[in-house]
Amino acid sequence: MKALVYRGPGRRSWQEVPEPGIQAPTDAVVRVDAVTICGTDLHILKGDVPAVEPGRILGHEAVGTVTEVGAGVALKPGDRVLVSCVSACGRCRYCRTGSYGQCLGGGGWILGHHIDGTQAEFVRVPFADTSTHLVPEGIGDEAVLMLADILPTSYEVGVLNGRVAPGDTVVVVGAGPIGLAAITTARLYSPSRIIAVDLAEARLEAATRFGADVVIGAGGDPAEEVAELTGGLGADVAIEAVGVPETFELCARLVRPGGHVANVGVHGRPVTLHLEELWARDLTFTTGLVDTYSTPTLLSMLEAGLLDGGRFVTHRFALHDMEKAYEVFSHPQETGALKVVLTRG
């Protein structure tokens, strides 16, 4: 089969690799029908995630069809499933409390990280019964694919960790796919206003379409504009959706005393926490890896028409055009890409 293989920082290749097989009774093999590229994959290619070794097949999101199952799996060949970005053994202390991202039993974020991932024609999924979700009839691949990562990540790590509440002023720094998903799911809690901050005009336009009330671009001063909009208080919640030191430090400046900073971005460099300025401001900072405990809830909302996952997709490719898809996704300022979807065709 063909797969996208990480070859070290800055290097990748779409190449022939062996097909996966069942290695444990809890495994399933899934034929990949639709897959996407994540910003985390770009961080890996930059060398920001050293745990990913050369030779690893990338990708941690897919919709597909089960082709083979281990003896301990209730799924059946032919089942259509969403492959979650986080795997869960279902038995350890963390899994018992819904903190699947911290799984001690061999799960957590492993696909495209510690084991071969989904940017391939087939993928082995460990702990298949607790790491996949049956796709309801009538929901398209593109829409449900967004529930593999970006929607639960933004919802859990951004909106819920940030404790967004009715009437809040919420600032989302970074209007890429994760930021747009944060805007989308923050809307569920009726904030008084959502402010999006980004340097790219195309992404600010997307933020407006996705529900931002105010956008601040390269020519604006976010701290000044947020202060003006809030009578000098600052935002109740700031969601960091980029993953660089400058945006994290900006979020810390934008929130009011007693506010929340929810970091969602993947950081590859150290960040300074300016306690000499922040120690007396009663701020709460949260970080996190998505647990995907919210996926069934989001799937229900998708089925009911309360969420539109397909609106994130801007570019479509055949699976064998993986290299071209990476080029488009890697240059969003030139291409306008939000999420790309590759299908078997």
Side-chain angles (χ1 to χ4, degrees), residues 37-40 43 60-61 85 146 148-155 157-159 172-186 203 210 239-243 262-266 290 312 329 338-339:
I37 302 169
C38 181
T40 303
H43 279 284
H60 48 268
E61 308 158 79
C85 65
M146 299 302 113
D149 189 346
I150 64 166
L151 278 165
T153 293
S154 296
Y155 182 50
V157 185
V159 175
V172 179
V173 178
I178 286 289
L180 296 177
I183 291 169
T184 298
T185 52
R203 292 203 157 180
F210 276 73
I239 297 175
E240 199 286 332
V242 181
N263 183 88
V264 187
V266 177
V290 64
F312 290 88
F329 186 67
L338 295 177
K339 291 295 285 185

Side-chain angles (χ1 to χ4, degrees), residues 191-209:
S192 62
R193 64 175 69 84
I194 297 177
I195 303 165
V197 179
D198 202 290
L199 297 178
E201 189 61 35
R203 292 203 157 180
L204 292 177
E205 292 172 3
T208 300
R209 294 197 306 272

Side-chain angles (χ1 to χ4, degrees), residues 44-65:
I44 291 170
L45 285 166
K46 291 177 184 176
D48 290 345
V49 189
V52 180
E53 298 177 348
R56 178 69 62 227
I57 296 172
L58 296 184
H60 48 268
E61 308 158 79
V63 176
T65 304

Side-chain angles (χ1 to χ4, degrees), residues 129-174:
D129 283 337
T130 48
S131 305
T132 65
H133 302 268
L134 288 170
V135 179
E137 291 290 334
I139 298 183
D141 288 351
E142 288 187 358
V144 75
L145 183 58
M146 299 302 113
L147 269 62
D149 189 346
I150 64 166
L151 278 165
T153 293
S154 296
Y155 182 50
E156 295 174 19
V157 185
V159 175
L160 296 183
N161 279 3
R163 299 184 184 177
V164 174
D168 277 355
T169 292
V170 179
V171 177
V172 179
V173 178

